[in-house]
């Protein structure tokens, strides 16, 4: 088992190193140019996300779909992950993380567009879509759609379930001495109560949680930045200098330090906002809309909030805190954010604990929907009449939900490093079929005027 665990860890490390960075970043750049810079519409997209579209067909509001997507992406990666990137890549990692978010807006637009363009209505009247339908209906690659669903389902049980549950139970035990058994049972019960209502229940809870937790976290960051205001100018200089590491450039070629900054910053940005992964378009397909362009723009605003705003704020907070308090070890990436929020009197640790707990809980809800739709697609495959397929879907959904709830409890009480590494592998592999759909159908997307 130790050897198997090491093999999986090595595969995960390989996939999330330069191969995936190059593939995803190249896709971001290609789509940015091919689609005539969708980033220029970002403020219109933000405005649209709060507006109701008349006569739109779907199961949840556009804001509900966006909130569910954000719930699944905003999490420990934005808070702890940025600290890890700074620890290994230096302050310059913050800049590269931000740039990745800006470029990723184009990819998230394309994903949202294809989700609505190729979605279908089930016999029960619900909208369902995502990369599997773009692949099968748009490109005729049903076998690749099946692979995407397999990778998504496997990734959801790990990165979207057990790993998240373990993070919450560990946090509550270490900070408040709450037994993992108790936190696991409470989490499992709360998730079960929400899942009974399907995507409408998930979107309603996420629509409530996401704004509250985001506002509290952002306010905490702004307070810390205000306290560190004397160091903000130096913070920006340090980030930019480290990002390009001018002192290490020789012969017109960048030194190893800038490569490390780019490697960790880009990787964290890609992993954080999930642009190109193919997860967010699954819920975008359920949005009440009749316009692929509109939903594409609304989906793109998710990457803006996730990386361009929250990750950037976190980065500024961490670097300025390091400058203000030099005694904080630069290599303590996993607890840099904790050190920063400890500077807020009394409520700092509470804000951070609440943010991490709610971010993680909402991630479980968001990923439950992604995995469910993947399982549903697989269950409805093969030759059968509509009634039989509907029955298969229903059975698969409820079996999936039962297993999902049980795994939340199990994930809370066991060590899951192997599960984490395996889920990371599946997360990377699910991106590959999605990228095929994005590149293969980029011409279809480009035909529609932004």
């Amino acid at each position: 088992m130790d050897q198997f665990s090491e093999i999986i860890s090595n595969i995960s490390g390989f996939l999330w190193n330069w191969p995936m960075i190059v593939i995803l970043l190249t896709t971001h750049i290609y789509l940015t140019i091919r689609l005539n810079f969708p980033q220029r519409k970002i403020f219109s997209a933000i405005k649209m996300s709060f507006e109701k579209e008349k006569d739109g067909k779907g199961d949840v509001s556009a804001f509900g779909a966006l909130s569910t997507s954000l719930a699944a992406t905003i999490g420990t990666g934005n808070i702890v992950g940025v600290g890890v990137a700074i620890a290994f890549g230096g302050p310059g990692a913050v800049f590269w993380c931000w740039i990745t978010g800006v470029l990723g807006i184009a990819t998230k637009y394309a994903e949202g567009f294809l989700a609505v363009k190729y979605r279908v209505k089930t016999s029960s009247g619900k909208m369902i879509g995502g990369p599997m339908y773009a692949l099968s209906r748009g490109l005729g690659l049903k076998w690749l759609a099946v692979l995407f669903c397999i990778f998504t389902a496997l990734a959801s049980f790990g990165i979207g379930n057990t790993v998240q549950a373990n993070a919450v139970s560990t946090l509550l035990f270490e900070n408040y001495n709450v037994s993992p058994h108790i936190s696991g049972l409470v989490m499992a019960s709360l998730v079960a109560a929400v899942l009974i209502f399907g995507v409408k229940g998930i979107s309603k809870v996420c629509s409530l949680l996401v704004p509250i937790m985001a506002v509290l976290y952002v306010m905490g960051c702004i307070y810390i930045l205000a306290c560190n205001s004397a160091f903000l100018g130096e913070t920006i200089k340090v980030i930019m200098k480290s990002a390009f590491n001018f002192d290490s450039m020789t012969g017109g070629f960048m030194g190893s330090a800038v490569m490390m900054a780019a490697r960790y910053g880009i990787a964290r940005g890609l992993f954080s906002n999930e642009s190109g992964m193919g997860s967010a378009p699954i819920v975008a397909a359920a949005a009440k809309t009749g316009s692929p362009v509109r939903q594409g723009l609304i989906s793109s605003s998710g990457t803006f909030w996730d990386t361009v705003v929250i990750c950037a704020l976190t980065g500024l907070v961490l670097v300025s805190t390091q400058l203000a308090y030099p005694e904080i070890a630069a290599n303590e990436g996993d607890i840099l954010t904790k050190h920063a929020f400890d500077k807020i009197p009394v409520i700092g640790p509470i804000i951070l604990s609440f943010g991490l707990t709610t971010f993680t809980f909402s991630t479980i809800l968001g990923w439950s929907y992604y995995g469910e739709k993947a399982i549903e697609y697989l269950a409805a495959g093969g030759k059968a009449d509509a009634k039989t397929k509907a029955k298969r879907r229903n059975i698969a959904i409820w079996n999936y939900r039962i297993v999902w709830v049980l795994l939340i409890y199990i994930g809370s009480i066991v060590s899951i490093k192997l599960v984490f590494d395996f889920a990371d592998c599946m997360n990377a592999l699910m991106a590959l079929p999605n990228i095929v759909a994005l590149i293969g159908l980029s011409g279809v997307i480009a035909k529609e005027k932004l």
Side-chain angles (χ1 to χ4, degrees):
M1 182 56 72
D2 289 341
Q3 289 179 338
F4 179 70
S5 178
E6 185 177 353
I7 291 171
I8 296 297
S9 179
N10 289 336
I11 294 173
S12 173
F14 170 76
L15 288 173
W16 280 109
N17 208 306
W18 287 113
M20 190 54 61
I21 289 175
V22 171
I23 291 171
L24 284 171
L25 191 59
T26 301
T27 301
H28 290 352
I29 295 171
Y30 170 76
L31 290 174
T32 293
I33 298 170
R34 184 79 171 86
L35 305 181
N36 194 24
F37 296 85
Q39 292 90 338
R40 60 192 169 85
K41 294 283 188 176
I42 190 61
F43 294 109
S44 297
I46 293 170
K47 182 182 177 182
M48 287 179 190
S49 66
F50 294 100
E51 298 173 345
K52 289 186 178 180
E53 182 181 355
K54 294 180 180 179
D55 303 322
K57 295 180 180 179
D59 304 317
V60 298
S61 67
F63 181 75
L66 176 62
S67 296
T68 304
S69 170
L70 280 172
T73 55
I74 297 178
T76 54
N78 307 75
I79 301 174
V80 178
V82 175
V84 174
I86 292 172
F88 287 99
V94 176
F95 172 81
W96 293 110
C97 180
W98 186 81
I99 285 294
T100 303
V102 172
L103 293 173
I105 289 172
T107 301
K108 194 61 74 74
Y109 165 77
E111 289 180 312
F113 179 98
L114 294 178
V116 174
K117 178 73 173 179
Y118 293 105
R119 67 181 180 176
V120 298
K121 182 183 287 189
T122 65
S123 56
S124 60
K126 295 180 179 179
M127 289 293 188
I128 183 171
M132 53 280 211
Y133 290 91
L135 286 164
S136 58
R137 300 185 69 215
L139 294 175
L141 299 174
K142 191 170 183 179
W143 65 273
L144 205 52
V146 170
L147 280 180
F148 172 82
C149 288
I150 292 173
F151 296 145
T152 300
L154 291 173
S156 71
F157 286 122
I159 206 71
N161 184 309
T162 51
V163 170
Q164 303 297 331
N166 188 267
V168 173
S169 65
T170 300
L171 173 71
L172 295 178
F173 178 73
E174 290 180 351
N175 292 327
Y176 306 103
N177 203 30
V178 177
S179 168
H181 292 278
I182 294 175
S183 56
L185 283 172
V186 171
M187 272 191 294
S189 300
L190 291 174
V191 170
V194 176
L195 292 186
I196 290 174
F197 300 97
V199 67
K200 291 183 178 180
I202 294 171
S203 69
K204 284 182 179 179
V205 173
C206 291
S207 295
L208 177 66
L209 280 180
V210 168
I212 293 175
M213 64 190 188
V215 167
L216 282 175
Y217 181 73
V218 169
M219 287 177 64
C221 288
I222 292 173
Y223 177 87
I224 296 171
L225 289 175
C227 293
N228 298 342
S229 58
F231 297 89
L232 284 184
E234 187 180 353
T235 296
I236 295 172
K237 288 180 182 177
V238 166
I239 288 173
M240 295 304 295
K241 185 176 180 179
S242 177
F244 296 99
N245 200 28
F246 298 112
D247 293 338
S248 299
M249 295 178 71
T250 57
F253 192 76
M254 292 184 291
S256 60
V258 70
M259 296 300 286
M260 290 293 286
R263 181 256 186 268
Y264 284 101
I266 293 171
R268 178 47 50 198
L270 294 172
F271 192 77
S272 171
N273 61 54
E274 295 184 11
S275 294
M277 299 295 172
S279 50
I282 296 175
V283 71
K288 292 180 180 178
T289 183
S291 169
V293 171
R294 178 185 173 84
Q295 189 55 43
L297 288 170
I298 292 173
S299 294
S300 72
S301 68
T303 297
F304 174 83
W305 292 120
D306 176 274
T307 307
V308 178
V309 175
I310 293 181
C311 280
L313 272 176
T314 302
L316 289 172
V317 163
L318 298 186
V319 176
S320 65
T321 299
Q322 282 185 325
L323 292 174
Y325 305 93
E327 68 273 14
I328 297 176
N331 62 348
E332 293 181 333
D334 55 340
I335 57 173
L336 271 178
T337 313
K338 181 180 183 301
H339 283 312
F341 273 78
D342 281 344
K343 304 305 176 184
I344 303 178
V346 184
I347 63 170
I350 296 174
I351 291 175
L352 183 60
S353 296
F354 176 77
L356 281 170
T357 301
T358 51
F359 281 155
T360 305
F361 178 74
S362 63
T363 297
I364 294 174
L365 291 178
W367 268 94
S368 71
Y369 184 74
Y370 298 158
E372 181 177 304
K373 294 300 111 177
I375 293 291
E376 188 175 343
Y377 181 89
L378 294 172
K383 295 181 180 179
D385 56 55
K387 187 176 181 180
T388 301
K389 287 187 176 183
K391 186 177 180 180
R392 284 183 194 165
R393 281 197 182 102
N394 194 47
I395 293 173
I397 287 171
W398 284 103
N399 285 336
Y400 168 84
R401 290 176 180 175
I402 292 170
V403 172
W404 186 265
V405 171
L406 290 173
L407 283 176
I408 291 172
Y409 175 73
I410 293 172
S412 300
I413 62 175
V414 300
S415 177
I416 49 172
K417 184 182 185 306
L418 174 60
V419 175
F420 187 91
D421 289 335
F422 181 77
D424 263 358
C425 292
M426 295 301 104
N427 218 200
L429 291 174
M430 67 182 278
L432 299 179
N434 180 55
I435 289 171
V436 171
L438 290 170
I439 300 300
L441 296 169
S442 60
V444 175
I445 306 169
K447 286 180 180 178
E448 297 287 341
K449 187 178 179 180
L450 274 169

